[in-house]
Amino acid sequence: MDERKKRIDTIVTSILDLENDPAIEGFFGENAKMLVSGESAAVRGVLTRVPETTQAQTAQNNLIACTPESWQQAASMAILLGVSLNPFLKHAALIAYGTTVKLQIMVAGIKHVVLANGAALTITAQAVCRNDRFKMIQPLLPQTIASNFYFEKAMENRGEVIGGFAFYTLANGGFHGDYLPYCEIKKRRDVARTQAIWDKWENEMIEKTLIHYTQKDLPTFSKSTMLNEIENEHIDFQKLNAPTSALPATTEGQFELKAKIFEDVEAMLISYEQLLNASEFESDVDDCRDRLLKEPLWKFASSEQKAKIKAVAAPIIQRFKNAAQ
């Protein structure tokens, strides 16, 4: 048996040993062995498939050189978190730091974890460029009141990234969202140990950053701490503690991003009005108003913008009150 195959077998065996791990067995019960077997097979596939490039070959060699103990730890965290090491699912990447392999959760993985946990029903996260435009759309079910929104990418030149947003529709019927200006995204990129991944998949990493930044405040989300621990393993703490060249959070870009999202407030209210006209709220106008003002974009509005929205919404709400009498 050659040395390479022997090392791969040792790594796979170390993962199979997780079948008797108290944490995994206690959490998954009779499904533990099936899950561990599936992930060990996925790891064998990662380490034995034929690389397509010289760079991929080097990365695979580095992974094989990592200790079985670190592989077992990475696999254990993946199983407990609920993501797969199967590369075709794109839940996670395996990164070699010297002889230690680390689990890195990717966009599909973090979405999978949040949705599977039941904390949210949908997740929307996007980078925003200078020339993008926002529009309002109605939900599939008129009675749900809360409109959604999307941005329309510029046809030719989107311009540079100025930030991004993420929001969730929650299982309890509410919404959660936030935004990050580019200066904040850049701070997180600058301290990452995985600069090559940022260079190659910048949009995906921005999307992941947006979800990671916002998921910690989701109600009933029990796996936030574990996600944070995994993410911290990919931070260069020397850079984190060093003086940063990133723009301060009070930069003009922060306000530009907020203005971009709210650049058509009147159009947004027209969309509300169309939605309200298509619905029946004669029996509960106050509920209609309350749900209107809990729209996910409300989180992004400045006090001036909120005042403007209320002013435009007032006659719409009054019209429905009159109709209910």
Side-chain angles (χ1 to χ4, degrees):
M1 181 184 298
D2 64 56
E3 185 63 27
R4 184 183 180 88
K5 185 177 186 302
K6 184 178 179 180
R7 285 198 62 85
I8 293 173
D9 287 345
T10 302
I11 289 170
V12 172
T13 299
S14 72
I15 296 173
L16 285 171
D17 288 342
L18 290 171
E19 290 181 353
N20 301 314
D21 181 90
I24 294 176
E25 191 173 23
F27 192 82
F28 295 103
E30 61 183 17
N31 293 322
K33 289 186 177 182
M34 179 184 67
L35 289 169
V36 171
S37 177
E39 293 312 309
S40 64
V43 168
R44 185 179 291 278
V46 168
L47 299 181
T48 59
R49 65 180 177 177
V50 179
E52 297 179 355
T53 65
T54 302
Q55 184 179 16
Q57 177 71 68
T58 300
Q60 187 184 67
N61 292 340
N62 291 340
L63 289 173
I64 293 173
C66 290
T67 65
E69 293 77 14
S70 68
W71 271 102
Q72 187 180 70
Q73 176 68 13
S76 174
M77 295 184 76
I79 293 170
L80 290 172
L81 189 59
V83 297
S84 175
L85 298 177
N86 186 333
F88 295 103
L89 295 178
K90 298 181 179 180
H91 283 179
L94 295 161
I95 311 295
Y97 295 119
T99 59
T100 301
V101 65
K102 296 289 187 181
L103 182 72
Q104 182 169 60
I105 308 302
M106 305 307 288
V107 174
I110 196 170
K111 285 184 175 181
H112 175 78
V113 172
V114 173
L115 296 177
N117 190 82
L121 299 177
T122 65
I123 302 171
T124 302
Q126 295 284 357
V128 179
C129 296
R130 188 175 301 281
N131 298 332
D132 292 336
R133 290 188 60 81
F134 285 82
K135 291 186 177 181
M136 299 300 299
I137 58 174
Q138 296 179 8
L140 296 177
L141 300 176
Q143 65 268 27
T144 60
I145 280 298
S147 297
N148 204 339
F149 77 100
Y150 71 97
F151 69 89
E152 186 178 63
K153 295 179 181 178
M155 295 300 293
E156 295 181 0
N157 178 25
R158 294 184 64 195
E160 71 274 23
V161 176
I162 62 171
F165 65 87
F167 74 82
Y168 309 75
T169 55
L170 304 179
N172 62 10
F175 297 90
H176 170 68
D178 211 339
Y179 70 95
L180 278 180
Y182 183 71
C183 57
E184 291 293 336
I185 295 172
K186 186 176 185 300
K187 285 181 182 179
R188 290 157 174 79
R189 175 175 183 165
D190 286 348
V191 299
R193 297 170 68 183
T194 50
Q195 291 297 321
I197 295 179
W198 271 94
D199 292 341
K200 189 173 183 179
W201 294 292
E202 182 181 34
N203 286 341
E204 289 83 354
M205 292 301 289
I206 289 176
E207 184 179 353
K208 177 195 166 183
T209 299
L210 292 164
I211 298 173
H212 183 78
Y213 174 80
T214 52
Q215 56 81 21
K216 62 183 182 295
D217 296 320
L218 286 174
T220 71
F221 186 41
S222 61
K223 295 186 177 180
S224 179
T225 299
M226 187 179 293
L227 280 173
N228 290 336
E229 289 175 354
I230 293 172
E231 195 67 14
N232 286 342
E233 292 183 339
H234 302 281
I235 292 178
D236 186 331
F237 284 95
Q238 288 185 336
K239 290 183 178 178
L240 182 66
N241 296 323
T244 177
S245 60
L247 297 172
T250 54
T251 184
E252 181 181 349
Q254 182 175 6
F255 303 105
E256 179 184 13
L257 176 62
K258 184 181 288 187
K260 171 69 69 176
I261 293 175
F262 268 89
E263 62 185 357
D264 291 316
V265 174
E266 288 84 0
M268 181 176 70
L269 267 297
I270 289 173
S271 200
Y272 281 151
E273 185 173 8
Q274 292 171 345
L275 179 61
L276 290 169
N277 287 335
S279 308
E280 297 180 359
F281 285 97
E282 289 82 356
S283 61
D284 201 347
V285 175
D286 289 337
D287 179 61
C288 163
R289 177 197 60 210
D290 291 342
R291 293 170 69 189
L292 177 84
L293 297 181
K294 288 179 181 177
E295 207 284 329
L297 283 179
W298 192 253
K299 168 87 173 176
F300 302 128
S302 66
S303 57
E304 293 81 6
Q305 290 164 335
K306 286 180 179 179
K308 187 174 183 180
I309 291 173
K310 286 182 177 180
V312 178
I316 300 174
I317 294 172
Q318 186 60 49
R319 193 157 60 248
F320 274 84
K321 282 187 173 182
N322 295 338
Q325 294 176 351

